[in-house]
Amino acid sequence: MKTLPIYQVDAFASQVFSGNPAAVMPLEEWLPDNAMQKLALENNLSETAFLVPLPEEADEDFHIRWFTPGTEVPLCGHATLASAWVIFNKLGWKKGQIRFQSKSGPLGVKQTDDGWLELDFPNLASEERPTPSQILEALEGAPATSLFVPNDTNYLVALKDEAAVKAALPDIRKLKELGNQGVIITAPGEDCDFVSRYFAPGAGIDEDPVTGSIHSVLVPYWAEKLGKDHLLAHQVSARGGVLRCELKGDRVAIAGQAAFYMEGSVQLP
């Protein structure tokens, strides 16, 4: 039997039972892909992050990969933030910053002076497209055009106001027909700059509580709309989350808090 450590952290949350729970599994070397997929399915959280340390001479400190219960994804914010919390607080990391190697290129996480964790993520380009029929049929009030994010396989759909985002009840079965493509809905916020929700049933996530990675496209979108680079965002799911964001050219800073929930071990044959 092989014993592996596992941690669960609520990301973008100041206390447990809010934000987005992620499993974090530090490894000494990679497991087979099918084993990591089975672990993610068994964990039954929107994301499980796997970490392997890199040699000292490497440009990054850890290689990170993310799995939903159904598939591996190219980018994930909340599980990266949760992983950074584990590295800083459970693995004895003494530096103030962590550098990750990932399928979306180099990523960074640093601790801010007030104890938040700030992700250094890419600024993801988007392109206007006709809204797919599945979204039009699934989501009341969806506009005829939306933005597609090629590097993150998501559609961004702007609704009229925060109330419409909160009240949305999309047909999850219809959205699942999009396959691995997710749907971001967003609008200006009442007590913040913008709000959002995220649905990816084709990847095994009906609704994600708080999704850091979608802010790689939401931040440049709203920075242009609002004419400002510093933005306060709320993801208005049932659990909810708060994100402090900044557009930095071709990068996006996404800061949040994290609440530790549990740690244990996994037994593999």
Side-chain angles (χ1 to χ4, degrees):
M1 299 289 286
K2 179 182 293 186
T3 301
L4 301 174
I6 185 169
Y7 303 88
Q8 188 169 321
V9 177
D10 289 340
F12 299 111
S14 58
Q15 57 187 6
V16 293
F17 310 125
S18 58
N20 199 354
V24 179
M25 299 191 67
L27 305 172
E28 294 180 2
E29 59 185 8
W30 290 115
L31 300 169
D33 286 8
N34 66 338
M36 291 189 286
Q37 188 62 74
K38 288 177 180 178
L39 285 164
L41 178 60
E42 186 76 9
N43 292 336
N44 199 32
L45 298 171
S46 62
E47 303 284 352
T48 296
F50 297 91
L51 317 170
V52 169
L54 293 170
E56 288 189 10
E57 63 271 18
D59 292 336
E60 289 87 25
D61 305 304
F62 294 87
H63 189 178
I64 187 169
R65 295 172 68 182
W66 311 275
F67 288 77
T68 75
T71 189
E72 183 175 7
V73 295
L75 186 63
C76 177
H78 84 278
T80 303
L81 188 143
S83 297
W85 189 95
V86 169
I87 293 168
F88 280 126
N89 294 279
K90 295 294 182 179
L91 303 187
W93 191 255
K94 300 303 182 184
K95 301 176 184 178
Q97 181 170 337
I98 304 164
R99 301 165 302 170
F100 290 109
Q101 179 187 111
S102 81
K103 288 192 172 184
S104 291
L107 309 174
V109 185
K110 68 179 182 180
Q111 293 178 310
T112 66
D113 292 340
D114 59 358
W116 288 46
L117 294 172
E118 183 180 282
L119 305 172
D120 172 27
F121 267 37
N123 174 341
L124 294 182
S126 60
E127 54 194 45
E128 189 169 344
R129 290 189 181 181
T131 302
S133 60
Q134 296 93 333
I135 296 177
L136 292 173
E137 294 172 20
L139 181 63
E140 184 178 350
T145 60
S146 53
L147 295 178
F148 181 66
V149 191
N151 290 337
D152 205 22
T153 61
N154 287 317
Y155 280 92
L156 188 156
V157 178
L159 301 183
K160 62 178 182 177
D161 54 30
E162 179 174 325
V165 173
K166 288 181 173 178
L169 293 171
D171 184 335
I172 296 299
R173 291 176 297 177
K174 182 60 67 173
L175 291 184
K176 195 170 185 178
E177 295 177 8
L178 292 167
N180 70 337
Q181 296 172 342
V183 178
I184 307 161
I185 61 173
T186 188
E190 297 173 0
D191 299 316
C192 60
D193 292 301
F194 66 89
V195 298
S196 66
R197 290 171 67 191
Y198 181 59
F199 308 90
I205 307 166
D206 286 355
E207 180 173 2
D208 200 30
V210 193
T211 319
S213 63
I214 63 172
H215 290 77
S216 281
V217 66
L218 282 167
V219 170
Y221 174 82
W222 285 110
E224 181 179 1
K225 291 284 187 184
L226 301 176
K228 57 194 297 190
D229 291 340
H230 290 80
L231 299 156
L232 181 63
H234 291 173
Q235 196 154 333
V236 290
S237 65
R239 289 174 65 102
V242 177
L243 308 91
R244 299 191 314 213
C245 307
E246 181 182 358
L247 181 63
K248 295 184 172 183
D250 64 352
R251 306 295 291 180
V252 173
I254 306 163
Q257 297 171 286
F260 177 59
Y261 178 60
M262 70 175 181
E263 63 182 291
S265 60
V266 170
Q267 303 295 313
L268 288 185

